Amino acid sequence: APTPSPPEPPPDPAESRISEARRHFELGIAHFDRKEWQAALVEFRSSRELAKTKGNTKNLAICLRKVGRFDEALDMFEALLREFPDLPPDDRELAQREISELLASVGTLEIRDVPPGARVSIDGIERGTTPLPGPVRLPAGTHTVRVVKDGALPFETRIDLAGRHAEILRPRPATLTQAGRLHVREKNGKHAEVFVDGARVGVTPWDGALAPGAHTISLRGEGVLGTPLTRVAIEVGKEIRLELAAVPLNSELDVSAEPASA
């Protein structure tokens, strides 16, 4: 009788991650050579998330600087020195020079005197809930700060931050005395982030108090899943239950501005 073939060994997850990291890195290099900084940035970040190397860390830092995200570039050059102590002299000199220059283009923002549990977003990017662990690094320029806490009106303001400057902000969200309630769930039971008026407020299923008036609601799930904007009208003392189906959003919009902080 013929001898059966031995079972094939299962694939090595570590090798698979390294192979995928290398694929993203090579795509990043192709974009980098064509000076397509945004696309290169995404590929190098994906490569680094799979396997941290000197190459993808340094290239990610360079791309972040090229697109004007100076605070993130500073963090990444510092990570390059911290995580890879055996850097070649040329790369070490590059990182030290970039850090010295970037420090002049980065300031900090500290949020004080806000009740615990308030969600803080800056320029549409969520930074955590109060109390924050410390000052937030930001590139010099104008920034929009939004603080949202259940039971209070959202607080939003714009700040002008200079390089090497430490700004302190003491938001005063007004108590919401008249409100309606909104319940949001994803139709198929998926977990998705809930955005109200462009700010992330939690994940599905979500329930919260909102000021009377019109609001825009959307969901964002894993990968490209999401929903278009949905408008709801909130009335005092009334509840609205909203069920949205997250579907693949196959189109993208990339907005570039000059200056990058606009």
Side-chain angles (χ1 to χ4, degrees), residues 72-120:
E72 296 175 75
L74 177 58
D75 290 342
M76 199 54 56
F77 277 117
E78 289 176 341
L80 180 63
L81 292 179
R82 182 177 63 253
E83 296 172 5
F84 304 99
D86 58 340
L87 276 177
D90 288 348
D91 286 347
R92 178 170 296 279
E93 182 182 346
L94 168 70
Q96 291 171 339
R97 184 175 65 250
E98 291 290 335
I99 289 172
S100 178
E101 294 178 359
L102 285 166
L103 282 170
S105 301
V106 172
T108 61
L109 173 65
E110 184 176 358
I111 307 290
R112 290 186 183 176
D113 303 335
V114 180
R119 297 177 295 276
V120 179

Side-chain angles (χ1 to χ4, degrees), residues 35 54 236 250:
K35 299 183 179 181
K54 302 171 189 176
V236 175
N250 296 317

